[in-house]
Amino acid sequence: MTQARFRVGNLELLVMSDGSFYLDAGAVFGVVPRERWEPYAGPIDNHHRLALGTNCVALRSQGKAILIETGVGEKSMRKDATPLEEGSLLTELEAGFGRPENIDVVMNSHLHGDHCGWNTRYVDGKLVPTFPNAEYLIQRAEWEAATHPNERTRATYLAENLTPVAESGRLRLLDGETKVTDEVTIVPTVGHSEGHASVVITSGGEMAIYIGDMVQQAVQLERTAWVAAFDVLPLMSMEAKKRLVEKAIQEKALLICVHLSFPGAGHMTRTPDGYKKWVPA
Ligand SMILES: [Zn+2]
């Protein structure tokens, strides 16, 4: 099992892995020269790739069982993704939290294939929502981008993760900031994709923020301008990250990052000389 538990006020957050996969290091660091980022990056393999985690979160809030992010899944993306370490979110979820039919709310930070893979699965040869009783919450802008992909985005916006959810009637499209419970709020953080969103969790004066794909390596939290090559709106991505990191420092929030190595949790702090510093939990 690859699981970790964190407490935020009265809430317990269960972080689970759906395994890790390799991605080109240049795609992660964009225009930043390799000589600059290499000292801060994780190990690179002989194909110039970094290992990326897939950290997903389950929690209960005000009677709702909530799942944030659904990983790579078991369909085409996992077959293409050159897995480094096998994992199964569904196995983790059943062992540590509950059965798929007992999940009330599913949310994806965005709809790239490594974030919503377990939204659907094959049962008796038919593609169905994995969480049959859940409401799936997605920003409308993200749904539009995902269902009208262009030449650049079509490799990651996969109909197999989307269509069965829409057809089941379990999709709820959101227009901006949305409260799921009094303790859980979805907040747009656009840039990585057209409708990317983060999740702010508050309880007992404490805060956690699930920041989705705003960064893939911790150093990108410390260096404001270091955004990934695959962000479709890189300057918006940078601004969203700047706001969120400031909020995290002020609130002493626990940040959970999907692609950092498991469990991808930590705090942003400021050093005495004013630099932003990531401290793993
Ligand atoms: Zn991703």
Side-chain angles (χ1 to χ4, degrees), residues 57 78 84 156 242 249 275:
V57 173
R78 182 167 301 277
L84 165 71
T156 190
K242 203 189 314 186
I249 292 172
Y275 291 106

Side-chain angles (χ1 to χ4, degrees), residues 80-136:
D80 295 345
T82 326
L84 165 71
E85 169 209 322
E86 282 294 348
S88 168
L89 176 65
L90 218 52
T91 309
E92 300 286 346
L93 190 73
E94 295 210 17
F97 189 78
R99 297 185 55 76
E101 52 270 35
N102 295 330
I103 299 294
D104 300 303
V105 177
V106 172
M107 47 183 102
N108 307 116
S109 65
H110 64 302
L111 295 171
H112 289 170
D114 52 325
H115 297 262
C116 59
W118 281 109
N119 277 11
T120 63
R121 63 171 164 167
Y122 282 102
V123 176
D124 299 329
K126 193 172 175 295
L127 207 48
V128 296
T130 306
F131 308 97
N133 301 313
E135 197 172 35
Y136 286 69

Side-chain angles (χ1 to χ4, degrees), residues 21 23 52 69 110 112 114-115 192 213 216 230 258-259:
F21 62 96
L23 196 69
L52 264 60
E69 216 81 311
H110 64 302
H112 289 170
D114 52 325
H115 297 262
H192 177 70
D213 218 340
Q216 296 76 37
F230 35 62
V258 55
H259 288 316

Side-chain angles (χ1 to χ4, degrees), residues 89-275:
L89 176 65
L90 218 52
T91 309
E92 300 286 346
L93 190 73
E94 295 210 17
F97 189 78
R99 297 185 55 76
E101 52 270 35
N102 295 330
I103 299 294
D104 300 303
V105 177
V106 172
M107 47 183 102
N108 307 116
S109 65
H110 64 302
L111 295 171
H112 289 170
D114 52 325
H115 297 262
C116 59
W118 281 109
N119 277 11
T120 63
R121 63 171 164 167
Y122 282 102
V123 176
D124 299 329
K126 193 172 175 295
L127 207 48
V128 296
T130 306
F131 308 97
N133 301 313
E135 197 172 35
Y136 286 69
L137 307 184
I138 307 289
Q139 292 290 326
R140 189 180 304 276
E142 185 64 18
W143 185 264
E144 284 302 313
T147 51
H148 301 84
N150 58 39
E151 290 82 348
R152 182 174 160 180
T153 61
R154 71 163 63 109
T156 190
Y157 282 139
L158 305 175
E160 64 184 16
N161 298 324
L162 310 173
T163 312
V165 176
E167 286 175 349
S168 71
R170 309 222 64 88
L171 176 67
R172 186 177 142 211
L173 296 181
L174 312 178
D175 294 295
E177 187 167 319
T178 304
K179 257 188 183 311
V180 181
T181 70
D182 292 337
E183 299 160 321
V184 179
T185 305
I186 300 175
V187 180
T189 43
V190 172
H192 177 70
S193 66
E194 305 264 354
H196 186 279
S198 299
V199 185
V200 177
I201 299 158
T202 52
S203 172
E206 296 183 349
M207 180 182 286
I209 311 176
Y210 187 87
I211 71 165
D213 218 340
M214 296 182 78
V215 301
Q216 296 76 37
Q217 296 271 293
V219 68
Q220 293 166 311
L221 285 166
E222 300 171 346
R223 312 273 168 128
T224 304
W226 289 20
V227 296
F230 35 62
D231 289 11
V232 295
L233 300 162
L235 296 182
M236 287 186 72
S237 182
M238 184 178 83
E239 291 302 325
K241 183 173 71 171
K242 203 189 314 186
R243 283 195 300 274
L244 192 131
V245 167
E246 282 308 321
K247 184 186 177 86
I249 292 172
Q250 269 171 29
E251 304 284 343
K252 298 184 170 57
L254 178 75
L255 294 182
I256 302 169
C257 313
V258 55
H259 288 316
L260 300 198
S261 53
F262 182 83
H267 293 86
M268 283 306 287
T269 58
R270 213 179 279 286
T271 62
D273 39 3
Y275 291 106

